[in-house]
Amino acid sequence: MQSHIEKTMDSAAVTDRQLEQINRYTRRALQKEEVFVFSLILCDNQIDRDGERFPRASLEVLAKLFLGKTGIFDHSPVSLNQSARIFDTQVEELPGQVEGEPCCQLRAWAYMVRTDKNKDLILEIDAGIKKEVSVGCAVAKITCSICGADWKKEPCSHQKGVRYGDKVCHHRLEEPTDAYEWSFVAVPAQKNAGVTKQACRPMDLEKLWQSRETISLTPQELRELESRYKALEEKAKAGEQYISRLRGEVVKLLAITRPEISPALAGEIAERLEPSQLDELQKSLSRAAAGKFPPAPQLCPMSCAEDGERENPFVI
Ligand SMILES: [Zn+2]
C-alpha cells in the first residue's frame, strides 16, 4: 500500500479551477498566492500486508468521501495553520492488473493556507521530503475473495494469505461508509520511502467499544484514534459556540418581537430548546422582527422637499 505525498506544486501552478474548488471550503475567497497545493496518494487497489484490498469500486466511493477531509501533520493538534484539506480526488489507472481489474490508486489534492507558522512545513513538502500519509475509513462489507462471505456478518473458514486451489485468499474492503481525518507521519531519512504500510485499514470503533477484553492498539491505530478524537473535539467546540450564539440571538429577537416576555424567561426558553428548535425559532422570530421593522425606504430629500411631502423618518 502506498500512501504518501507524491509530488508538490508551487502556488504558481494553482489553476483557476483548483482555486474555485478550494474556495468552496473557505470562509472567504482566497487568492492563488495565499494557498499551497500538493497532491498525495491515499490508497490503491493492491492487496496489502494485512491481506486486504480495496476493489476499484471502493476507491471510487472513497474518492467522494475524502473530499473536504482535513489532515494534520506529525501529530500536531488540529489547528488551522498545521492542517491541510482535500479539495479534489481522482482514481488513477496504473499499468498492470490486480484481481481482474486495472491497477489504480486514489490521488487527492490538498491545500494549506500559507501562514508564517506553516512556512517551514510548506518548504519541507516543497523540498520533497517524503511524508507518509495515514488514512482511515469504515466499510460496510469485508468479503472473502474465495467464497464471497461477508466477514462483518458471518465469517467463512478461508484464511487470508492461504492458497485454495489456484487462488490465495484475501479480503475485499467494500462499500466504504466513511472516511476519517488523515495525518502525515514523517519518514526517517534512512528508511526506504513508502515501505512502511499506512493503509486505509478500517478501524471498527463499534467493535472496539463492545470489546469486553483488554485491547491493544498499534501506534498507528492510536494515532488514528487520537486524530479522530481531536477532530471531534474541535467540531464539538465549534458546535457549542454556534448554539450559544443562536441562544443569544433568540433572546434578543424575543425582546424585540415579544417585549412582554421577561429577559429571564426568554433566557430560560432559549436554554431549554434543542439546537434544531432554536434554529427554527430564530428564523421565525427574525421574520417577525423584519415585519415589525421593515427596512426604511430610500429617502430622496431633494424631490420630497420640493413636493413638500417629506416625512420624519423616525416616525413609524
Ligand atoms: Zn471464504
Side-chain angles (χ1 to χ4, degrees), residues 132-153:
E132 287 187 354
V133 182
S134 135
V135 291
C137 56
V139 293
K141 278 165 79 177
I142 300 175
T143 58
C144 168
S145 66
I146 305 294
C147 70
D150 182 358
W151 274 63
K152 286 207 138 184
K153 289 199 181 109

Side-chain angles (χ1 to χ4, degrees), residues 11-304:
S11 61
V14 178
T15 65
D16 289 339
R17 188 171 167 269
Q18 285 178 329
L19 195 67
E20 198 190 308
Q21 287 170 311
I22 290 168
N23 279 331
R24 279 182 208 159
Y25 296 103
T26 58
R27 270 185 224 159
R28 67 172 176 88
L30 297 170
Q31 303 296 312
K32 279 184 190 173
E33 57 274 15
E34 287 179 285
V35 295
F36 172 71
V37 168
F38 58 94
S39 92
L40 55 150
I41 306 300
L42 293 174
C43 44
D44 56 30
N45 63 346
Q46 303 290 317
I47 298 169
D48 66 30
R49 260 195 240 167
D50 291 325
E52 296 170 341
R53 66 180 280 269
F54 288 104
R56 181 181 187 147
S58 298
L59 294 183
E60 301 281 0
V61 177
L62 283 172
K64 291 193 185 84
L65 292 175
F66 269 109
L67 282 176
K69 291 291 185 300
T70 48
I72 55 168
F73 288 85
D74 294 334
H75 245 262
S76 69
V78 181
S79 67
L80 263 182
N81 51 42
Q82 292 288 331
S83 68
R85 190 191 290 270
I86 292 174
F87 65 90
D88 194 14
T89 53
Q90 196 182 351
V91 175
E92 296 174 336
E93 270 189 27
L94 303 168
Q97 293 266 319
V98 54
E99 298 295 318
E101 61 182 16
C103 290
C104 43
Q105 61 186 15
L106 174 54
R107 182 187 292 276
W109 285 265
Y111 75 90
M112 291 174 76
V113 178
R114 289 176 187 272
T115 64
D116 268 354
K117 282 184 187 155
N118 66 23
K119 225 163 45 189
D120 294 344
L121 186 61
I122 286 175
L123 275 176
E124 222 174 281
I125 300 173
D126 238 352
I129 295 174
K130 209 155 188 165
K131 282 171 177 287
E132 287 187 354
V133 182
S134 135
V135 291
C137 56
V139 293
K141 278 165 79 177
I142 300 175
T143 58
C144 168
S145 66
I146 305 294
C147 70
D150 182 358
W151 274 63
K152 286 207 138 184
K153 289 199 181 109
E154 208 174 356
C156 59
S157 58
H158 300 120
Q159 296 295 312
K160 285 188 287 187
V162 174
R163 182 172 287 279
Y164 298 91
D166 59 347
K167 285 179 181 167
V168 175
C169 174
H170 71 268
H171 283 176
R172 290 185 297 243
L173 306 172
E174 293 180 283
E175 297 176 16
T177 52
D178 207 355
Y180 305 116
E181 274 63 27
W182 39 290
S183 58
F184 295 92
V185 193
V187 185
Q190 70 272 22
K191 225 170 174 183
N192 224 347
V195 168
T196 311
K197 187 197 150 227
Q198 303 286 352
C200 276
R201 251 185 74 196
M203 197 171 169
D204 197 336
L205 284 182
E206 211 58 49
K207 220 179 245 174
L208 218 63
W209 306 147
Q210 283 165 6
S211 166
R212 293 279 173 273
E213 289 148 45
T214 311
I215 51 159
S216 61
L217 296 175
T218 63
Q220 155 67 14
E221 285 168 332
L222 200 62
R223 271 199 301 273
E224 187 191 322
L225 209 57
E226 191 187 40
S227 126
R228 275 201 238 169
Y229 176 75
K230 281 187 171 149
L232 279 175
E233 232 179 18
E234 284 289 307
K235 279 183 189 161
K237 218 163 76 189
E240 270 164 20
Q241 284 169 349
Y242 171 71
I243 291 167
S244 154
R245 267 205 311 276
L246 207 56
R247 287 208 171 100
E249 190 73 17
V250 163
V251 171
K252 214 167 69 190
L253 286 165
L254 276 173
I256 296 171
T257 55
R258 297 269 183 281
E260 69 276 14
I261 296 177
S262 75
L265 181 58
E268 202 166 322
I269 292 171
E271 205 60 45
R272 287 189 186 193
L273 292 179
E274 294 293 314
S276 61
Q277 296 171 314
L278 272 173
D279 195 54
E280 212 181 309
L281 185 58
Q282 190 265 348
K283 279 184 192 133
S284 125
L285 288 175
S286 296
R287 279 194 296 271
K292 205 161 178 180
F293 300 107
Q298 289 263 324
L299 292 172
C300 174
M302 289 304 285
S303 60
C304 295

